[in-house]
């Protein structure tokens, strides 16, 4: 608690507050454009973060994260197109409300609910991450090996509808992570004689290529967004705000629990929150037809996932979703290694980031309340203009990172690869997880064998390792259990 309070002064510096405001505005604009996500926003920012202090760069990322997760509700409500994947459930009740002439009410309900979910999630991050760090200090190389394996498997299996495709992406990420000179033997691995690859694949270039270029290429083949429903109707009233408090409590709890689980993500949190709210309602006849509780549940649930996904990311180095992976990439670019050492060596930065995740929520409330109508106009930007803008920014950022044209070419190679992988429904997040956790698994595997003279029993020698093994096995069995449960439910329904 002392370290948490000691980090607050560094966050309320004018430059950091400005960074958070800019991040919220940028994130809100990005999330309001269908197909563009927080991941893209952070990917565009990363090349320019080299020149920033870590606390300012993280403030921008926190603002983009919270801002974009809310603003995905704007197109979901106005044009029935979710701006972000986690905004799908918001369309269920948001669009019917807009068609009924209550678009402003739906937008304000989404905004306030998003802020409540973000606040609850940030408080959970502050309370639970240090506890998890204390537990993680008991880990040795064998435990960290299984943590890395569990992280890669959970993201690969749970984040994809097809576990085989998810695992394929994760293995591809591991292979990319192994490119370069082996730190132990000094041998070159998979460099193909290209000197620029001796230092490995630059994580920044990989992130920018996979997450910024494919959306731009996709936009070039997309027709311009059509007309939208006018933002109209009454504003949300205090009575309606107070009536949503039970919904926020339930949905934020679900979102936090889902966020802690690597690979689950805001999609699941929003759907479960909406489903649970409908199931628990005394009168659920309006759900799916324009119930404000449905909008509140979906938005609170998916935003409660935000900071919660950073709990395993900061404490163990295992990101809970693709955005958390991007933020981990930002930390690594700044020379900071996520995990228990981060809390010991850089407490001002890690606890400062927690404050930033909390403080961007009220900033979002102000920005969103006065700017919802203005932000909704970004829907009018034609893809033919937006796509070149994204490509220009990514090209400049890739070159500026190290003043090397090789990085630009690599970025476009990964961008084209990411475009085709996306078309094949192969998720990109497991690739990033594989790049981050693959070398971690390899180094701890070799370190563990060195400590025990190549005795493999070290990987099964403690209760913690067995718990991690059991969790990994459960991740593989979960798709089968889910199919069995769905089949059983269908049979009962008949």
């Amino acid at each position: 608690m002392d370290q948490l309070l000691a980090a607050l002064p560094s966050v309320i510096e004018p430059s950091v507050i400005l960074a958070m405001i800019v991040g919220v505005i940028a994130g809100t604009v990005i999330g309001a454009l269908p197909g563009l996500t927080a991941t893209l926003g952070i990917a565009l920012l990363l090349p320019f973060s080299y020149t920033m202090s870590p606390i300012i760069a993280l403030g921008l990322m926190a603002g983009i994260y919270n801002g974009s997760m809310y603003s995905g509700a704007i197109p979901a409500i106005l044009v029935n197109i979710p701006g972000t994947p986690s905004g799908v459930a918001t369309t269920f009740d948001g669009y019917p409300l807009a068609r009924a002439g209550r678009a402003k009410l739906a937008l304000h309900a989404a905004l306030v609910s998003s802020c409540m979910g973000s606040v609850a999630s940030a408080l959970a991050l502050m309370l639970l991450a240090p506890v998890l760090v204390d537990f993680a200090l008991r880990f040795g190389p064998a435990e960290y090996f299984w943590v890395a394996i569990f992280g890669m498997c959970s993201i690969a299996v749970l984040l994809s509808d097809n576990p085989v495709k998810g695992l394929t992406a994760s293995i591809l990420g591991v292979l990319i992570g192994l490119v370069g000179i082996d730190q132990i033997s000094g041998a070159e691995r998979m460099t193909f004689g290209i000197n620029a690859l001796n230092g490995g694949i630059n994580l920044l270039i990989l992130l920018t290529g996979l997450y910024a270029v494919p959306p731009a290429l996709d936009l070039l083949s997309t027709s311009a967004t059509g007309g939208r429903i006018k933002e109209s109707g009454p504003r949300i009233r205090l009575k309606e705000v107070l009536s949503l408090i039970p919904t926020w409590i339930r949905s934020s709890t679900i979102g936090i629990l889902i966020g802690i689980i690597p690979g689950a993500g805001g999609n699941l949190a929003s759907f479960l929150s909406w489903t649970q709210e409908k199931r628990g309602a005394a009168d659920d006849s309006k759900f799916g037809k324009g119930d404000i509780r449905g909008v509140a549940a979906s938005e609170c649930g998916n935003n409660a996932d935000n900071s919660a996904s950073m709990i395993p990311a900061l404490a163990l180095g295992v990101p809970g979703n693709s955005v958390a992976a991007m933020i981990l990439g930002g930390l690594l670019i700044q020379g900071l290694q996520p995990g228990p050492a981060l809390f010991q060596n850089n407490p001002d930065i890690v606890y400062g980031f927690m404050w930033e995740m909390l403080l961007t929520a009220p900033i979002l409330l102000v920005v969103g309340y006065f700017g919802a109508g203005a932000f909704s106009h970004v829907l009018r930007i034609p893809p033919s203009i937006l796509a070149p803008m994204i490509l220009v920014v990514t090209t400049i950022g890739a070159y500026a990172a190290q003043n090397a044209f090789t990085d630009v070419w690599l970025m476009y190679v990964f961008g084209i690869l990411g475009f085709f992988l996306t078309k094949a429904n192969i998720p990109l997040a497991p690739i990033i997880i594989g790049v981050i956790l693959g070398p971690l698994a390899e180094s701890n595997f070799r370190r563990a064998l060195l400590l025990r003279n190549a005795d493999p029993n070290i990987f099964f020698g403690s209760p913690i390792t067995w718990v991690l093994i059991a969790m990994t096995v459960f991740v593989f069995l979960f798709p089968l259990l889910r199919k069995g449960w769905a089949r059983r439910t269908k049979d009962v329904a008949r």
Side-chain angles (χ1 to χ4, degrees):
M1 184 60 70
D2 292 340
Q3 291 178 320
L4 182 63
L5 294 175
L8 182 57
S10 64
V11 175
I12 57 177
E13 291 285 335
S15 58
V16 180
I17 294 176
L18 178 61
M20 289 189 285
I21 294 173
V22 172
V24 168
I25 295 173
T28 306
V29 171
I30 290 170
L33 288 162
L36 306 189
T37 64
T39 312
L40 169 67
I42 296 175
L44 291 174
L45 165 69
L46 283 178
F48 303 98
S49 65
Y50 271 121
T51 58
M52 303 176 188
S53 69
I55 199 69
I56 291 178
L58 289 171
L60 277 167
M61 293 181 196
I64 291 172
Y65 196 178
N66 281 332
S68 62
M69 292 304 290
Y70 150 67
S71 62
I74 294 175
I77 292 169
L78 296 181
V79 294
N80 202 30
I81 301 174
T84 57
S86 56
V88 173
T90 305
T91 63
F92 298 164
D93 288 287
Y95 188 62
L97 280 170
R99 288 179 62 88
R102 306 177 73 192
K104 188 173 292 185
L105 172 66
L107 288 170
H108 286 168
L111 172 63
V112 179
S113 301
S114 296
C115 293
M116 292 299 106
S118 297
V119 168
S121 187
L123 293 175
L125 174 62
M126 291 177 172
L127 293 174
L128 297 180
V131 175
L132 188 57
V133 166
D134 291 339
F135 176 69
L137 290 173
R138 306 176 189 176
F139 287 20
E143 286 78 11
Y144 270 111
F145 167 76
W146 284 114
V147 164
I149 295 297
F150 168 69
M152 286 188 288
C153 293
S154 59
I155 295 291
V157 174
L158 299 180
L159 205 62
S160 173
D161 294 332
N162 188 326
V164 174
K165 291 183 177 180
L167 289 171
T168 300
S170 186
I171 293 171
L172 176 60
V174 172
L175 293 175
I176 293 174
L178 296 179
V179 172
I181 295 177
D182 182 3
Q183 297 300 313
I184 295 180
S185 67
E188 292 184 7
R189 301 189 297 192
M190 296 183 288
T191 60
F192 307 104
I194 303 175
N195 292 332
L197 297 180
N198 287 341
I201 300 294
N202 189 320
L203 183 60
L204 182 152
I205 301 303
L206 176 67
L207 291 171
T208 306
L210 286 180
Y211 281 100
V213 176
L217 297 178
D218 195 50
L219 283 170
L220 290 174
S221 60
T222 303
S223 60
T225 304
R228 62 181 180 87
I229 294 175
K230 185 179 180 181
E231 186 206 0
S232 60
R235 297 177 182 271
I236 193 169
R237 297 172 297 177
L238 179 60
K239 179 181 178 181
E240 291 166 325
V241 170
L242 296 177
S243 69
L244 294 176
I245 292 177
T247 299
W248 294 336
I249 294 174
R250 288 187 290 267
S251 299
S252 59
T253 301
I254 292 172
I256 290 169
L257 293 176
I258 294 297
I260 295 174
I261 302 172
N267 286 359
L268 182 60
S270 62
F271 274 110
L272 285 182
S273 297
W274 187 88
T275 302
Q276 185 59 38
E277 194 63 23
K278 181 177 185 295
R279 183 179 299 159
D283 178 16
D284 64 355
S285 60
K286 293 183 178 179
F287 275 82
K289 301 176 182 178
D291 195 311
I292 190 175
R293 292 171 296 176
V295 174
S298 170
E299 287 302 306
C300 183
N302 75 50
N303 278 267
D305 168 80
N306 292 1
S307 296
S309 66
M310 296 303 304
I311 295 174
L314 294 176
L316 301 175
V318 178
N321 57 32
S322 59
V323 184
M326 296 293 289
I327 294 176
L328 281 194
L331 288 171
L332 292 171
I333 289 167
Q334 293 281 349
L336 303 171
Q337 180 64 49
L342 182 63
F343 286 76
Q344 293 180 329
N345 301 332
N346 306 97
D348 54 328
I349 294 175
V350 68
Y351 287 109
F353 175 66
M354 294 179 186
W355 282 112
E356 289 170 335
M357 289 298 292
L358 177 64
L359 294 176
T360 47
I363 292 174
L364 172 63
L365 186 63
V366 175
V367 170
Y369 186 82
F370 291 104
F375 289 132
S376 66
H377 287 293
V378 302
L379 294 170
R380 302 184 185 276
I381 300 177
S384 58
I385 295 177
L386 183 62
M389 290 170 57
I390 293 174
L391 293 176
V392 168
V393 172
T394 54
T395 301
I396 294 173
Y399 178 77
Q402 299 182 103
N403 294 327
F405 279 110
T406 304
D407 289 342
V408 176
W409 292 115
L410 279 175
M411 181 197 70
Y412 277 105
V413 168
F414 286 121
I416 294 171
L417 173 64
F419 177 78
F420 286 110
L421 289 176
T422 302
K423 292 298 182 183
N425 292 320
I426 295 177
L428 301 180
I431 297 177
I432 304 302
I433 305 302
V435 171
I436 294 174
L437 296 184
L440 178 67
E442 182 204 21
S443 61
N444 281 285
F445 180 81
R446 297 166 76 173
R447 190 175 295 118
L449 290 177
L450 289 172
L451 288 174
R452 286 287 188 89
N453 296 320
D455 181 6
N457 290 324
I458 190 174
F459 297 104
F460 311 95
S462 73
I464 296 177
T465 59
W466 281 108
V467 170
L468 291 168
I469 292 170
M471 292 168 63
T472 304
V473 172
F474 176 77
V475 163
F476 280 105
L477 294 177
F478 181 77
L480 298 177
L481 296 174
R482 183 170 52 188
K483 286 184 179 179
W485 176 259
R487 192 180 299 115
R488 182 180 176 183
T489 304
K490 188 181 295 184
D491 292 340
V492 171
R494 290 176 181 175

